[in-house]
Amino acid sequence: MDIALEFCDTFFFDHVYAAVAPLKPVSFSPISGAGNWTLSDIKAASPWHFQPASSLLSFAPRDVAWLSRFPRDNIFRQALSLFFIMWIAGAALYFTVSSLSYAFVFDKSTFNHPKFLKNQIRQEIKQATDAMPFMSLLTMPFFLAEVRGYSKLYDVWADEPFPFYNVLQFPFFILFTDMFVYFIHRGLHHPLIYKTLHKPHHKWIMPTPYASIAFHPVDGWAQSLPYHVFPFIFPLQKFAYLALFFFVQIWTVFIHDGEYVADSPILNGAACHTMHHLYFNYNYGQYTTLWDRLGGSYRRPNEELFRKETKMGAAEWNRQAKEMEKMVQEVEGVDDRSYDPEVDDVKKTK
């Protein structure tokens, strides 16, 4: 995240902080002896000195970087900047990937499912956008600690701790986070906290890509913890971390896109995750079915989902709806969702 912060500082935040909190002018320079401080004097007297975040990619600061009362290494400035970076960049990534998935992947026939909610996409987007600033605030301390050098992120590939680690770090990260997301996700289904924290995400029985981060903010933050904890425990190359960060966001959209491509016994893809949204207590994993199998919570997706002629058929939908209604009574009690009345009318006439 220090690379992203350096980029944003150079092209945006330096100008903002210089305008909002400008360095107070001094009438006499003790360094040059001149009547007013010069830019060279300011740079020489500044406690902050530019050090590139990476030797592989760097963004040299302009003069404006020294013209704020809050230098780049000020912890409060860093915290505020990181908060806005996460919020704005996260929103941009969410809308970009979700919209592309919605336009080119998502099966619009899902709108006719009896459990598709009235104005669902609008509700998904609202819940996601409402949660974003709070999730960013909760996550910011991890990125702040990274920027201030407390993580085990390393810069150049040659700094790998042992041979082939640059390659092994990717599956290691996936396996580590898959395991802990499973246990956190399963814990969020505990009756004591489910209705408060995790039920908002289960409002979407047949989710669209826009449901990918439509969470209660504490729920979304909790399930992201393994990703942020990993680089404080294990070495991780900086650009690998950025790549994995984008991968996680994209994968989260893909498992909500309703396009059941792979009938894989290993991957926890969209079909497996649809089973989770329909039947609640199955398929808690993020990437693989490993921990669901070990934990006895794996449910193989219905075969009908992988056949185009039956995937969106009334028989399969009615079967899903009936079993889902039983699970709702078991897990939540009363179903307080508001389904699309037009879909209900169509269902009744069939």
Side-chain angles (χ1 to χ4, degrees):
M1 189 54 71
D2 53 355
I3 298 170
L5 180 59
E6 182 181 292
F7 173 85
C8 293
D9 274 336
T10 300
F11 296 103
F12 181 70
F13 285 125
D14 285 340
H15 299 273
V16 172
Y17 288 108
V20 174
L23 193 66
K24 292 182 179 179
V26 179
S27 59
F28 177 77
S29 168
I31 298 175
S32 65
N36 290 291
W37 283 68
T38 65
L39 184 61
S40 297
D41 294 332
I42 293 172
K43 289 182 178 181
S46 174
W48 171 73
H49 300 285
F50 175 67
Q51 292 183 337
S54 171
S55 60
L56 301 175
L57 179 66
S58 180
F59 305 95
R62 285 83 181 273
D63 291 342
V64 71
W66 283 270
L67 299 182
S68 172
R69 294 200 304 272
F70 298 105
R72 283 191 181 185
D73 60 353
N74 179 279
I75 189 171
F76 299 106
R77 167 176 166 164
Q78 289 176 332
L80 186 62
S81 298
L82 288 168
F83 166 72
F84 281 109
I85 289 172
M86 286 184 288
W87 185 2
I88 296 169
L93 186 61
Y94 163 74
F95 280 109
T96 299
V97 179
S98 297
S99 297
L100 288 172
S101 178
Y102 176 80
F104 299 108
V105 180
F106 179 67
D107 191 336
K108 311 303 187 296
S109 299
T110 305
F111 296 152
N112 297 318
H113 194 284
K115 296 304 178 182
F116 195 82
L117 304 187
K118 182 180 180 181
N119 299 321
Q120 179 171 314
I121 292 179
R122 187 185 305 168
Q123 292 183 63
E124 289 171 338
I125 292 173
K126 183 180 186 305
Q127 185 166 300
T129 53
D130 286 350
M132 283 178 195
F134 298 100
M135 287 193 288
S136 299
L137 184 63
L138 291 169
T139 306
M140 177 270 294
F142 291 99
F143 288 130
L144 182 62
E146 289 173 16
V147 166
R148 299 188 72 82
Y150 293 103
S151 74
K152 294 189 177 183
L153 292 170
Y154 61 94
D155 183 23
V156 296
W157 300 102
D159 289 339
E160 61 180 344
F162 55 81
F164 304 110
Y165 186 82
N166 285 330
V167 175
L168 293 173
Q169 63 184 330
F170 293 98
F172 191 20
F173 178 90
I174 296 298
L175 291 172
F176 175 90
T177 55
D178 190 46
M179 176 179 68
F180 283 101
V181 168
Y182 170 82
F183 286 109
I184 292 169
H185 189 181
R186 187 161 188 170
L188 286 163
H189 278 259
H190 191 281
L192 291 177
I193 58 176
Y194 169 79
K195 290 185 178 180
T196 302
L197 294 183
H198 197 52
K199 183 181 175 181
H201 186 63
H202 271 276
K203 182 177 183 178
W204 330 115
I205 301 301
M206 293 299 294
T208 78
Y210 293 104
S212 57
I213 59 169
F215 290 103
H216 184 290
V218 176
D219 179 3
W221 170 78
Q223 293 197 60
S224 74
L225 280 175
Y227 308 120
H228 303 301
V229 169
F230 184 92
F232 290 93
I233 303 175
F234 305 103
L236 190 61
Q237 202 276 334
K238 289 182 178 181
F239 289 96
Y241 188 36
L242 285 174
L244 287 165
F245 177 80
F246 283 104
F247 167 75
V248 168
Q249 307 307 313
I250 293 170
W251 180 268
T252 304
V253 171
F254 282 178
I255 62 174
H256 292 89
D257 66 15
E259 187 60 33
Y260 314 126
V261 177
D263 184 8
S264 170
I266 298 173
L267 290 179
N268 185 48
C272 280
H273 200 65
T274 293
M275 293 293 100
H276 179 72
H277 275 266
L278 279 167
Y279 309 130
F280 298 84
N281 295 331
Y282 305 94
N283 300 349
Y284 299 105
Q286 180 75 349
Y287 305 112
T288 75
T289 63
L290 172 63
W291 291 99
D292 281 298
R293 291 178 183 277
L294 293 175
S297 55
Y298 174 68
R299 174 165 177 163
R300 188 179 183 279
N302 301 343
E303 291 185 7
E304 288 79 3
L305 297 181
F306 301 100
R307 296 199 296 267
K308 196 169 185 65
E309 64 274 13
T310 58
K311 171 188 171 184
M312 293 296 179
E316 173 63 13
W317 281 355
N318 288 332
R319 184 175 75 163
Q320 292 172 0
K322 287 179 181 178
E323 187 173 354
M324 169 263 169
E325 288 166 0
K326 292 179 182 178
M327 292 302 299
V328 167
Q329 290 181 352
E330 179 182 325
V331 175
E332 299 179 357
V334 178
D335 187 356
D336 56 3
R337 296 167 182 81
S338 177
Y339 300 104
D340 193 329
E342 294 182 6
V343 172
D344 285 342
D345 290 341
V346 171
K347 180 184 173 185
K348 290 174 183 177
T349 59
K350 288 185 177 181

